[in-house]
Amino acid sequence: MSDGVQEMRTDVAHGARIYDYILGGKDNYAVDRAAAEASQQVWPALPVHMRANREFMHRAGRFLATECGVDQFLDIGTGIPTSPNLHEVVQEVKRDARIVYTDNDPIVLAHARALMSRTGQGATAYVDADLRDPDTILGSREFRETLDPDRPIGLMLIAVVHFIEDDEEALDVVRRIVDVLPPGSYVAATIATDDYAPELLAEVRRAYREHGETLKFRDHGTALRFFDGLEVLDPGLVQMHKWRPDDLASPQVPEADIAMYAAIARKP
């Protein structure tokens, strides 16, 4: 949980830095690389899975901006900047789109300037905070001054809720944020699951834990609870590579290579 600038921990892995390493970035440490390599040894599909997650974020951002008219976003669990970032995607559609990014890793904070660049007439801001502390996020000056609380907001929860192991805690913090969003807002989320390769992913979870990082997989029924009270859009809660893919003719990815569900839902 964040109450200001986080201490730089290089002795334990961090999800944002593991993700960065898998995607070919350089903002990671030996412990992050070790966690990633150990995970890939037991589940070689990890890079395919993580690229699919990034691609879903791009599709979700474009869909919300293009099809739903959303022009302001709250992205919690931003991760280390990897272009195109959310603001680059949505400002291609809505030049005046406004985005608030949130993460709790000092490396993400150090690179936040890259998230502040504008591709249109909109605005971006960064909040150093943890998903577990929604009051800090929603009460921040950056959130209050960047986003209009009276107009729909697109909440992005991309590959983040699995870092909270307790189901009720994870559901509660998401619900507390959604409750504050105005009617007509949307929630786009990817939620880790081991429904398709439980034995392999048990080893991935063990590798993460051995290097100091949490990882919680959830079945379809539990994942769907994150959207309670919301109108889940077609095609529902599906493996993330199956959510409105850009190219229906692209080669099929084996189900066992994808370990996240994805959905977009509207707040009535």
Side-chain angles (χ1 to χ4, degrees):
M1 184 178 300
S2 176
D3 56 1
V5 176
Q6 295 288 299
E7 176 188 357
M8 181 73 76
R9 293 291 302 272
T10 62
D11 58 327
V12 295
H14 190 282
R17 303 194 307 257
I18 296 172
Y19 192 52
D20 174 74
Y21 174 70
I22 293 294
L23 292 179
K26 302 181 184 304
D27 295 299
N28 47 74
Y29 294 100
V31 67
D32 308 304
R33 296 189 287 274
E37 294 295 344
S39 299
Q40 287 187 90
Q41 284 181 11
V42 296
W43 192 47
L46 184 60
V48 173
H49 162 82
M50 287 191 169
R51 285 194 295 271
N53 181 72
R54 191 73 181 174
E55 290 164 2
F56 170 79
M57 185 275 284
H58 294 158
R59 294 199 306 280
R62 285 195 302 271
F63 172 80
L64 291 176
T66 303
E67 303 294 330
C68 305
V70 177
D71 63 1
Q72 50 179 4
F73 294 80
L74 174 61
D75 182 4
I76 301 179
T78 299
I80 295 166
T82 303
S83 187
N85 295 294
L86 178 63
H87 71 281
E88 295 171 295
V89 172
V90 300
Q91 286 179 350
E92 284 186 358
V93 180
K94 300 280 188 181
R95 291 185 58 79
D96 58 350
R98 307 173 75 83
I99 297 89
V100 172
Y101 290 107
T102 300
D103 211 304
N104 71 331
D105 183 75
I107 287 187
V108 182
L109 177 62
H111 287 274
R113 187 173 301 172
L115 297 169
M116 300 301 104
S117 62
R118 302 181 183 185
T119 58
Q121 302 303 312
T124 57
Y126 181 82
V127 180
D128 176 39
D130 193 298
L131 171 62
R132 296 177 181 86
D133 187 11
D135 291 341
T136 293
I137 297 171
L138 299 172
S140 67
R141 176 182 57 81
E142 292 83 359
F143 177 81
R144 290 183 284 104
E145 293 183 358
T146 306
L147 305 185
D148 180 350
D150 296 323
R151 295 193 302 106
I153 293 171
L155 172 63
M156 309 291 284
L157 298 171
I158 306 300
V160 65
V161 296
H162 58 260
F163 295 122
I164 303 178
E165 289 193 272
D166 183 82
D167 288 343
E168 294 307 318
E169 179 187 7
L171 290 162
D172 178 67
V173 295
V174 171
R175 190 175 300 114
R176 287 165 61 189
I177 297 169
V178 172
D179 284 349
V180 173
L181 301 181
S185 292
Y186 291 84
V187 178
T190 57
I191 300 165
T193 184
D194 61 355
D195 282 353
Y196 296 89
E199 294 181 1
L200 292 176
L201 292 169
E203 293 301 308
V204 172
R205 184 170 185 259
R206 179 188 58 78
Y208 267 59
R209 292 175 69 89
E210 286 182 351
H211 293 88
E213 181 58 286
T214 297
L215 183 57
K216 174 65 180 287
F217 295 110
R218 295 181 166 96
D219 61 23
H220 189 273
T222 304
L224 195 57
R225 292 179 62 195
F226 285 97
F227 303 95
D228 282 353
L230 305 176
E231 301 168 349
V232 180
L233 307 183
D234 288 338
L237 181 69
V238 296
Q239 281 183 292
M240 57 190 177
H241 66 303
K242 298 179 180 179
W243 197 95
R244 305 192 185 199
D246 289 332
D247 185 1
L248 294 175
S250 62
Q252 293 297 309
V253 177
E255 289 184 340
D257 289 357
I258 300 296
M260 279 192 190
Y261 287 119
I264 294 181
R266 181 181 183 274
K267 181 177 179 178

